[in-house]
């Protein structure tokens, strides 16, 4: 389901509307002569038309009349420019026009920052409610404008919305510290705050007046949110006072249990998602929940409810993995999304960090003789085994920072000397290994077909590197700090560039971008900060990033060039306004 932004307003069309009709009436008079009097009859119908601007590439806007029995067909727009409805408006009819805009999708392998982008479309130049009064010119020249909104927080941790302009960057008037990220939902975003030792769920349509606490459908206050939540499509699942709830837009309701009229009690097992399904451990059972249906109870090999009393869960792609640590179900299990029976893949329960790559899934596993190393499974017990032990010491290689690009997996692990990067390429169920590359690897990110990472060129002097996974294809992108450590971090692939934060000297961090070449590695602004810069959002071709200091934050935008990098907003001190 697409995340959508909705704007609803009532149009009541009164009077006669349409193109004027000219009638020629013969006047009566003596002398056989006469004169013609021109009378303009009132219009009898009107075709609705206008102009759309600002619609983001790859998205669509649906304008529809939600009045029961309406004869005005819905209109779907996929590009900017002139538009016209097929139907007509007639006298004394009420209309309730709703605008639903899809949000830009994040393509595979491209991370667009901390905030999702919400597209908001509004009708301009004409009230969304009221009487049209037969104004043919206005109704024939409707103006719909769309803009991309993203969300962040100020230096006090309070939520803020921005459309990328100084005047459009404003507080949401929520005086509680942000506790989570922002999650797209129907018509806006959801986020969690903390205040007075409570966690609260909020909904915002991108305006301060449209930002409010989410309540149950019967007005219940939700002030006992648990520590875990999960998004599946437009649905935001969370626990409140020990029960499972789901929010879509600004309202929430309890999730029904497997039995009609029941509810789902959610314990400490947490939640996981795979495909379009949510999985939650409730009263020692695993429930599979999909939109619009009763929860399903997962079964074990004996066709009885799977006992998940000591289990944890992880999802990757369309697969769910359960690791159970005691009892008859001890071991690791797999379920493909949409199925109801789990199958065992190993008696070992010390698995985590699952990542699907083609037909295989890689993960971190532990054995006393080898420590924690890289394992692989094809979903069967016979096809689950220890794959790589680059460190012969029982401490293991401790694989972390799994990064998947198509049918390739990059992993950071230690060979007992230093953290390095290995690349695993999957064709069918065959895996080829290349590497290791780098030494003392820290931050890493995929960009294009390469992995970029931070590693020292000499002891204590890390710089930015790039690699295709082979020693011959590994190089320093640019020596940013020739006299010391650049300490690059917050590497993020956005569009044509890889953005990161680094020190050119010891005076502070600056925001940088690179295309993988020395000449294409550029500092975006000479302004420095104490705690680094992080990419926050991408709207169209513009990237927004935040520079962090102990006492203040600032929001910037760039097209990837230094000359078009500007500061949008700055927050200083507890009492500062944007």
């Amino acid at each position: 389901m697409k995340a959508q932004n909705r704007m609803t307003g009532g149009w009541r069309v009164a009077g006669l509307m349409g193109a004027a009709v000219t009638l020629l009436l013969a006047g009566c008079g003596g002398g056989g002569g006469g004169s013609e009097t021109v009378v303009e009859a009132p219009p009898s119908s009107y075709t609705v038309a206008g102009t759309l601007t600002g619609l983001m590439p790859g998205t669509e806007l649906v304008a529809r009349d939600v009045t029961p029995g309406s004869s005005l067909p819905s209109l779907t727009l996929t590009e900017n420019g002139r538009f016209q409805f097929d139907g007509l408006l007639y006298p004394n009819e009420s209309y309730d026009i709703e605008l639903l805009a899809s949000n830009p999708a994040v393509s595979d392998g491209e991370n667009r920052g901390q905030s999702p982008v919400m597209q908001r479309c509004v009708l301009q130049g004409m009230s969304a409610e009221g009487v049209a009064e037969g104004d043919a010119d206005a109704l024939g020249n409707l103006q719909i404008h769309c803009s991309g909104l993203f969300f962040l927080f100020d230096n006090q941790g309070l939520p803020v919305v921005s459309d990328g302009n100084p005047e459009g960057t404003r507080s949401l008037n929520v005086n509680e510290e942000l506790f989570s990220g922002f999650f797209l939902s129907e018509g806006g975003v959801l986020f969690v705050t903390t205040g007075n030792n409570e966690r609260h769920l909020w909904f915002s349509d991108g305006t301060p007046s449209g930002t409010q606490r989410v309540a149950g459908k019967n007005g219940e206050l939700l002030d006992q949110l648990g520590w875990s939540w999960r998004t599946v499509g437009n649905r935001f699942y969370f626990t409140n006072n020990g029960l499972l709830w789901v929010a879509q837009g600004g309202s929430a309701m309890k999730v029904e249990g497997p039995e009609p009229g029941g509810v789902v009690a959610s314990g400490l097992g947490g939640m996981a998602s795979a495909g379009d399904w949510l999985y939650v451990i409730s009263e020692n059972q695993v429930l599979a929940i999909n939109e619009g249906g009763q929860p399903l109870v997962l079964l074990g090999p004996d066709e009885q409810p799977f006992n998940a009393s000591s289990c944890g869960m992880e999802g990757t792609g369309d697969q769910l993995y359960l690791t159970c640590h005691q009892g008859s179900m001890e071991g690791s299990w797999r379920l493909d999304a949409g199925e109801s029976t789990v199958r065992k893949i190993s008696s070992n329960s010390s698995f985590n960090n699952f990542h699907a790559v083609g037909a295989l899934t890689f993960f971190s596993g532990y054995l006393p003789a080898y420590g924690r190393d890289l394992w692989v499974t094809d979903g069967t017990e016979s096809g689950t085994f220890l794959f790589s032990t680059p460190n012969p010491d029982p401490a293991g290689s401790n694989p972390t920072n799994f990064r998947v690009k198509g049918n390739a997996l990059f992993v950071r692990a230690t060979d007992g000397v230093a953290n390095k990067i290995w690349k695993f390429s999957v064709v069918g169920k065959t895996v080829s290994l290349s590497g290791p590359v780098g030494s003392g690897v820290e931050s890493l990110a995929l960009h294009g077909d390469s992995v970029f990472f931070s590693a020292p060129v000499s002891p204590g002097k890390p710089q930015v590197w790039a690699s295709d996974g082979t020693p011959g294809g590994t190089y320093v992108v640019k020596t940013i700090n020739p006299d010391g450590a650049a300490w690059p971090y917050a590497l993020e692939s956005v569009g044509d560039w890889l953005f990161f934060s680094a020190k050119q000297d010891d005076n502070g961090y600056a925001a940088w971008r690179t295309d993988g070449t020395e000449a294409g590695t550029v500092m975006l602004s000479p302004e420095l900060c104490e705690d680094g810069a992080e990419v926050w959002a991408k709207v169209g071709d513009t990237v927004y990033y935040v520079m962090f200091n102990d006492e203040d934050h600032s929001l910037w935008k760039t097209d990837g060039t230094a000359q078009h990098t500007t500061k949008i907003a700055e927050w200083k001190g507890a009492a500062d306004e944007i």
Side-chain angles (χ1 to χ4, degrees):
M1 178 184 292
K2 292 182 179 178
Q4 295 174 321
N5 170 53
R6 176 175 297 176
M7 186 283 291
T8 304
W11 294 353
R12 179 169 176 79
V13 182
L16 300 176
M17 296 171 293
V21 178
T22 301
L23 301 179
L24 299 180
L25 302 179
C28 297
S35 62
E36 292 184 342
T37 302
V38 178
V39 178
E40 289 191 355
S44 59
S45 64
Y46 181 71
T47 299
V48 182
T51 302
L52 172 65
T53 58
L55 187 70
M56 302 179 70
T59 66
E60 67 179 26
L61 171 68
V62 176
R64 65 184 185 184
D65 179 18
V66 296
T67 305
S70 169
S71 59
L72 191 66
S74 295
L75 180 65
T76 300
L77 303 173
T78 58
E79 58 185 25
N80 294 303
R82 291 289 297 174
F83 64 85
Q84 179 175 307
F85 283 84
D86 288 338
L88 299 173
L89 298 182
Y90 293 98
N92 300 315
E93 287 187 288
S94 294
Y95 290 84
D96 190 359
I97 302 298
E98 184 179 66
L99 301 179
L100 299 101
S102 66
N103 294 310
V106 177
S107 60
D108 291 341
E110 182 182 16
N111 191 345
R112 296 193 176 187
Q114 305 288 333
S115 172
V117 176
M118 168 189 153
Q119 183 165 228
R120 188 167 188 266
C121 299
V122 296
L123 181 66
Q124 296 181 331
M126 176 179 173
S127 174
E129 297 184 23
V131 179
E133 299 292 352
D135 188 342
D137 289 337
L139 291 170
N141 291 283
L142 302 180
Q143 302 295 316
I144 299 176
H145 180 69
C146 302
S147 58
L149 303 179
F150 59 95
F151 300 80
L152 62 157
F153 54 88
D154 65 13
N155 60 315
Q156 301 300 307
L158 305 181
V160 172
V161 65
S162 179
D163 64 1
N165 297 297
E167 62 276 8
T169 302
R170 55 195 182 276
S171 169
L172 290 176
N173 294 335
V174 175
N175 294 317
E176 295 181 352
E177 187 175 349
L178 191 69
F179 190 73
S180 71
F182 298 93
F183 309 95
L184 286 174
S185 188
E186 185 173 323
V189 296
L190 294 162
F191 57 92
V192 179
T193 63
T194 181
N196 298 323
N197 296 317
E198 296 177 348
R199 287 172 298 282
H200 302 144
L201 180 63
W202 293 76
F203 170 81
S204 177
D205 67 357
T207 66
S209 61
T211 301
Q212 58 191 1
R213 284 267 305 273
V214 175
K217 66 178 183 178
N218 296 321
E220 304 99 320
L221 288 177
L222 305 176
D223 52 12
Q224 298 295 324
L225 264 68
W227 293 96
S228 62
W229 41 79
R230 180 74 58 171
T231 58
V232 182
N234 281 347
R235 309 185 305 279
F236 181 85
Y237 292 94
F238 62 99
T239 59
N240 184 74
N241 201 24
L243 298 180
L244 184 65
W245 290 68
V246 60
Q248 284 184 278
S251 62
M253 60 186 298
K254 295 174 185 175
V255 176
E256 291 188 9
E259 300 298 328
V263 293
V264 176
S266 182
L268 299 177
M271 308 175 201
S273 60
D276 294 328
W277 292 80
L278 174 82
Y279 297 90
V280 59
I281 296 177
S282 175
E283 298 178 333
N284 297 333
Q285 295 180 340
V286 182
L287 301 183
I289 301 170
N290 203 350
E291 185 176 19
Q294 292 289 117
L296 304 176
V297 178
L298 296 191
L299 305 177
D302 58 359
E303 296 300 315
Q304 296 299 311
F306 185 87
N307 184 350
S309 59
S310 63
C311 300
M313 298 185 296
E314 285 188 47
T316 175
D318 291 328
Q319 305 160 16
L320 176 74
Y321 289 89
L322 297 104
T323 51
C324 305
H325 303 289
Q326 62 186 20
S328 60
M329 297 301 172
E330 183 175 3
S332 296
W333 305 76
R334 169 172 160 165
L335 177 84
D336 291 333
E339 294 183 352
S340 60
T341 303
V342 300
R343 58 183 183 272
K344 195 171 188 177
I345 62 168
S346 176
S347 296
N348 190 337
S349 62
S350 299
F351 296 160
N352 59 33
N353 215 352
F354 294 86
H355 287 77
V357 186
L360 302 176
T361 298
F362 293 84
F363 54 94
S364 172
Y366 176 82
L367 285 175
Y370 296 97
R372 185 160 289 281
D373 280 303
L374 186 68
W375 288 60
V376 68
T377 182
D378 63 0
T380 67
E381 195 162 4
S382 61
T384 301
F385 53 89
L386 174 63
F387 184 80
S388 175
T389 57
N391 182 10
D393 190 272
S397 61
N398 294 310
T400 59
N401 295 94
F402 289 58
R403 298 289 187 271
V404 178
K405 176 70 174 182
N407 286 333
L409 170 70
F410 293 86
V411 177
R412 187 187 76 162
T414 180
D415 60 0
V417 178
N419 286 327
K420 300 178 181 180
I421 295 175
W422 279 261
K423 179 182 179 181
F424 303 87
S425 300
V426 178
V427 178
K429 294 186 179 181
T430 301
V431 182
S432 58
L433 170 65
S434 59
V437 299
S439 182
V441 172
E442 293 299 332
S443 300
L444 67 150
L446 295 181
H447 180 65
D449 294 325
S450 299
V451 60
F452 288 72
F453 57 92
S454 168
V457 294
S458 60
K461 295 183 177 181
Q463 302 287 349
V464 177
W465 296 65
S467 176
D468 62 2
T470 66
T474 302
Y475 58 94
V476 176
V477 174
K478 182 182 179 72
T479 303
I480 291 175
N481 187 350
D483 300 322
W487 299 113
Y489 88 106
L491 282 66
E492 186 122 19
S493 176
V494 186
D496 295 332
W497 313 107
L498 179 91
F499 291 81
F500 60 96
S501 184
K503 290 184 174 183
Q504 192 173 33
D505 51 38
D506 294 333
N507 293 322
Y509 284 98
W512 293 72
R513 64 88 166 146
T514 183
D515 61 1
T517 67
E518 183 174 7
T521 303
V522 176
M523 185 169 68
L524 295 173
S525 168
E527 186 163 327
L528 304 178
C529 59
E530 299 169 359
D531 301 323
E534 295 184 24
V535 169
W536 209 257
K538 181 177 185 288
V539 181
D541 294 326
T542 303
V543 174
Y544 298 88
Y545 65 90
V546 179
M547 299 186 74
F548 294 97
N549 288 296
D550 285 343
E551 298 296 330
D552 60 79
H553 298 165
S554 56
L555 175 64
W556 296 69
K557 69 177 180 180
T558 182
D559 65 356
T561 65
Q563 59 267 37
H564 293 123
T565 298
T566 57
K567 185 188 296 186
I568 298 172
E570 188 170 21
W571 300 269
K572 287 187 176 182
D576 257 32
E577 296 292 334
I578 298 173

